[in-house]
């Protein structure tokens, strides 16, 4: 298969807003791909090389700019081989070798192919082929039930490999995918609830009500003495969190997969700033004063037994047994099982008094739906928040002169298009945050002007809002009311930002239902 075939499909996908049409065009391409082409083609259509990020930016590309080839000749295999070589090149003289490899590929590419490759390598390839669309296309191309493909993806965490299993091995191959200790699964997510009373009315009395911490989601795998830790985006952070590793290694089991949150606490046991917690992921494990505490709320595997498909009450019993000793009891997320309304309200009050965000209400009969956000888990917080994409920033004035201040906010287009602008805000920013924005935003700029910068969709920010109002000023027809910055979310990608539909729900005062 030629690279030109992939580029044409990418252009066709970007040109339509129809999810069905996108999936159909991708399925058509995947049917034509050879077995060894499925993985790279799927990865590219999802927006990144299968080798992961290669550390190539616009500056590197500009140094290796080449005259476009007059005709298409580059194959998928040749490009994938070059990207593998780029990923494996390091050490003395590696910069020159990487430039040579990149220059050679670009010199064989046509103008359209060069543009595609540059956007792919710099992380700017936004063609509307979101994971869900690609999974639908894989199911169609392989003739495999979509539910089987999605489950295999959620358990493997790898979209290209899931596509290869479906297209080469069919339904038997995808149905054979199981949870593996040492391979992270996509976490189950909670939908925001409008109030504790409504969440209890919706789910009934057969629930557990647990603290919702202002921390970072973690998934921990243990196999003997080997312990590994991943974030909610399946980024491994084991080396950065030795104190978490030690706590899990001390548990009375041989193999386990645990779900929970972690955060940094002050000397009084109250949560430190979210940024303090996030500073540990990928940072200095020995950073003085910033130690992380784990709080576990689910177990997906324990000593040879998979628990994913068991109801929550079975998983909680297994977790309680694992943490039964007084030494380990502190690792359990605080909460109450099957509470009455007054007791549930007490859990919420205790969580807020301790400095946490709120509570999560969970149905005790629900299995663990990896990678999904449904009504079985509902989080209740006093303030509505939205995770939005930063599209740009304006230079401040007065005491904010010289600082990038007023930020432009975009909601995710569920059809895979560019983020939809829904407002601006300069509220909630500390001097430290203003300094960080001014220092960081230019790294993500694709346009600079006298008024400020336009940014590539990369940064996600959590915004507190009082609601929304109809507005002809913005293309989505809706604008945020009294938006203020809560924090930036380095643990989230733009693909996990809230959608324009979620913002529109606020028009009627409806509860925020986020993906």
């Amino acid at each position: 298969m030629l690279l030109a075939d992939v580029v044409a499909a990418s252009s066709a996908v970007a040109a339509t807003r129809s999810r069905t049409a996108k999936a159909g065009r991708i399925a058509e391409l995947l049917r034509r791909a050879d077995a060894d082409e499925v993985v790279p083609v799927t990865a590219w259509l999802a927006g990144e090389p299968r080798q992961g990020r290669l550390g190539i930016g616009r500056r590197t590309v500009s140094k290796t700019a080449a005259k476009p080839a007059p005709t298409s000749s580059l194959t998928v295999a040749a490009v994938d081989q070059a990207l593998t070589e780029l990923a494996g090149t390091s050490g003395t003289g590696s910069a020159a070798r990487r430039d040579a490899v990149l220059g050679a590929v670009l010199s064989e590419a046509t103008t359209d192919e060069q543009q595609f490759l540059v956007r792919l390598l710099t992380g700017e390839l936004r063609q509307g082929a979101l994971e869900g669309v690609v999974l639908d296309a894989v199911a169609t191309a392989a003739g495999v039930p979509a539910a089987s493909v999605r489950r295999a993806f959620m358990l493997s965490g790898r979209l290209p490999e899931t596509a290869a299993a479906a297209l080469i091995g069919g339904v038997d191959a995808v149905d054979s995918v199981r949870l593996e200790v040492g391979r992270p699964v996509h976490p189950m997510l909670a939908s925001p609830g409008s109030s504790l009373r409504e969440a209890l009315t919706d789910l009934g009395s057969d629930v557990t009500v647990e603290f919702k911490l202002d921390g970072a989601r973690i998934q921990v795998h243990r196999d003997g003495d080997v312990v590994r830790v991943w974030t909610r985006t399946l980024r491994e952070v084991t080396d950065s969190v030795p104190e978490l590793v030690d706590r899990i290694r001390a548990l009375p089991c041989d193999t386990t997969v645990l779900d929970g949150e972690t955060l940094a606490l002050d000397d009084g046991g109250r949560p430190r700033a979210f940024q303090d917690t996030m500073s540990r992921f990928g940072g200095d494990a020995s950073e003085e004063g910033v130690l992380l505490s784990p709080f576990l709320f689910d177990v997906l595997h324990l000593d040879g037994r998979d628990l994913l498909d068991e109801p929550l009450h079975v998983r909680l019993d297994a977790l309680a047994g694992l943490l039964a000793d007084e030494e380990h009891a502190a690792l359990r997320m605080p909460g109450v099982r099957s509470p009455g309304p007054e007791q549930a309200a007490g859990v919420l009050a205790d969580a807020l008094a301790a400095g946490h965000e709120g509570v999560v209400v969970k149905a005790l009969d629900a299995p663990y739906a990896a990678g999904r956000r449904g009504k079985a888990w509902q989080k209740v917080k006093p303030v509505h928040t939205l995770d939005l994409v930063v599209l740009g920033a304006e230079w401040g004035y007065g005491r904010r002169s010289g600082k990038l201040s007023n930020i432009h906010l975009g909601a995710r287009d569920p059809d895979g298009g560019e983020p939809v602008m829904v407002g601006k805000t300069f509220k909630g920013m500390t001097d430290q945050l203003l300094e960080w924005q001014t220092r960081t935003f230019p790294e993500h700029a694709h346009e600079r002007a006298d008024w400020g910068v336009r940014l590539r969709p990369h940064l996600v920010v959590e915004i507190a809002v009082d609601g929304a109002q109809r507005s002809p000023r913005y293309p989505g027809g809706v604008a945020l009311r009294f938006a203020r910055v809560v924090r930036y979310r380095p643990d989230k990608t733009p693909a996990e930002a809230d959608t324009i539909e979620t913002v529109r729900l606020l028009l009627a005062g409806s509860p925020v239902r986020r993906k």
Side-chain angles (χ1 to χ4, degrees), residues 49-288:
R50 70 174 180 86
Q51 295 83 357
R53 295 191 176 185
L54 301 175
I56 294 175
R58 285 280 180 177
R59 181 177 299 179
T60 301
V61 172
S62 65
K63 288 194 305 180
T64 56
K67 182 179 179 180
T71 58
S72 299
S73 62
L74 266 178
T75 65
V76 167
V79 174
D80 186 52
Q81 181 179 352
L83 299 187
T84 298
E85 187 173 351
L86 285 173
T89 301
S90 60
T92 304
S94 61
R97 293 196 300 274
R98 284 164 62 88
D99 288 349
V101 172
L102 182 59
V105 171
L106 293 177
S107 68
E108 295 183 44
T110 65
T111 298
D112 289 344
E113 292 167 351
Q114 282 188 353
Q115 293 174 353
F116 176 88
L117 289 172
V118 168
R119 289 184 290 134
L120 176 68
L121 295 173
T122 57
E124 300 175 22
L125 185 59
R126 297 179 296 278
Q127 57 211 340
L130 300 176
E131 283 180 347
V133 175
V134 178
L135 288 169
D136 289 345
V138 169
T140 299
V144 172
S148 294
V149 173
R150 290 178 181 276
R151 181 175 173 82
F153 169 59
M154 298 310 171
L155 292 178
S156 72
R158 301 165 182 165
L159 179 56
E161 285 76 6
T162 300
L167 288 159
I168 298 169
V171 66
D172 290 341
V174 293
D175 284 347
S176 68
V177 178
R178 296 286 185 268
L179 183 150
E180 292 183 10
V181 178
R183 184 180 69 186
V185 304
H186 285 266
M188 184 172 178
L189 305 174
S191 294
S194 59
S195 69
L196 179 59
R197 181 180 61 82
E198 290 196 17
L200 293 173
T201 298
D202 192 14
L203 296 177
S205 61
D206 198 20
V207 298
T208 180
V209 180
E210 301 173 343
F211 280 23
K212 172 68 180 75
L213 307 186
D214 188 19
R217 188 75 172 266
I218 53 170
Q219 185 178 133
V220 188
H221 292 229
R222 175 182 170 184
D223 187 357
D225 288 335
V226 177
V227 177
R228 301 174 68 184
V229 185
W230 286 269
T231 67
R232 73 191 304 276
T233 57
L234 308 189
R235 180 170 66 91
E236 186 169 3
V237 292
T238 304
D239 292 341
S240 299
V241 291
E243 68 270 41
L244 300 186
V245 171
D246 290 342
R247 299 290 293 274
I248 301 304
R249 188 178 285 136
L251 293 177
C253 63
D254 291 322
T255 61
T256 190
V257 176
L258 298 160
D259 196 357
E261 285 194 86
T262 188
L263 77 170
L265 301 173
D266 63 19
D267 292 339
R270 295 180 65 83
R272 295 179 55 159
F274 179 75
Q275 288 79 6
D276 290 341
T277 294
M278 293 310 301
S279 71
R280 285 295 311 282
F281 293 115
D284 183 357
S286 63
E287 186 176 347
E288 184 177 355

Side-chain angles (χ1 to χ4, degrees), residues 184-429:
V185 304
H186 285 266
M188 184 172 178
L189 305 174
S191 294
S194 59
S195 69
L196 179 59
R197 181 180 61 82
E198 290 196 17
L200 293 173
T201 298
D202 192 14
L203 296 177
S205 61
D206 198 20
V207 298
T208 180
V209 180
E210 301 173 343
F211 280 23
K212 172 68 180 75
L213 307 186
D214 188 19
R217 188 75 172 266
I218 53 170
Q219 185 178 133
V220 188
H221 292 229
R222 175 182 170 184
D223 187 357
D225 288 335
V226 177
V227 177
R228 301 174 68 184
V229 185
W230 286 269
T231 67
R232 73 191 304 276
T233 57
L234 308 189
R235 180 170 66 91
E236 186 169 3
V237 292
T238 304
D239 292 341
S240 299
V241 291
E243 68 270 41
L244 300 186
V245 171
D246 290 342
R247 299 290 293 274
I248 301 304
R249 188 178 285 136
L251 293 177
C253 63
D254 291 322
T255 61
T256 190
V257 176
L258 298 160
D259 196 357
E261 285 194 86
T262 188
L263 77 170
L265 301 173
D266 63 19
D267 292 339
R270 295 180 65 83
R272 295 179 55 159
F274 179 75
Q275 288 79 6
D276 290 341
T277 294
M278 293 310 301
S279 71
R280 285 295 311 282
F281 293 115
D284 183 357
S286 63
E287 186 176 347
E288 184 177 355
V290 183
L291 291 177
L292 299 179
S293 298
F295 293 88
L296 306 172
F297 54 69
D298 217 327
V299 55
L300 313 185
H301 174 94
L302 184 60
D303 285 337
R305 181 187 177 193
D306 287 346
L307 299 166
L308 274 167
D309 297 321
E310 297 288 349
L312 177 59
H313 67 84
V314 172
R315 305 198 306 273
L316 291 180
D317 287 345
L319 183 63
L322 179 63
L323 305 180
D325 292 347
E326 184 177 352
E327 175 188 358
H328 307 304
L331 302 183
R332 177 75 173 91
M333 181 72 76
V336 176
R337 198 189 301 199
S338 301
E342 291 186 3
Q343 195 176 16
V347 176
L348 175 58
D350 289 345
L352 296 176
H356 301 301
E357 289 187 321
V359 295
V360 182
V361 184
K362 302 177 180 179
L364 287 170
D365 61 353
Y368 192 92
R372 294 183 57 190
R373 191 189 294 277
K375 287 189 175 182
W377 290 10
Q378 297 186 29
K379 54 187 175 183
V380 178
K381 299 191 291 185
V383 178
H384 283 313
T385 62
L386 296 164
D387 294 322
L388 301 172
V389 181
V390 183
L391 304 179
E394 300 172 13
W395 292 109
Y397 53 89
R399 65 179 297 270
R400 293 192 177 190
S401 294
K403 304 290 193 302
L404 286 169
S405 174
N406 200 18
I407 58 175
H408 300 187
L409 303 167
R412 178 166 57 85
D413 179 354
D415 295 320
E418 296 291 331
V420 182
M421 190 168 176
V422 292
K424 305 178 183 180
T425 189
F426 55 83
K427 296 180 179 179
M429 299 178 184

Side-chain angles (χ1 to χ4, degrees), residues 5 8 29 34 46 82 98-99 125 182 339 399 432 444 455:
D5 297 323
L29 182 71
D34 291 338
R98 284 164 62 88
D99 288 349
L125 185 59
R399 65 179 297 270
Q432 182 181 13
H444 305 287
L455 305 182

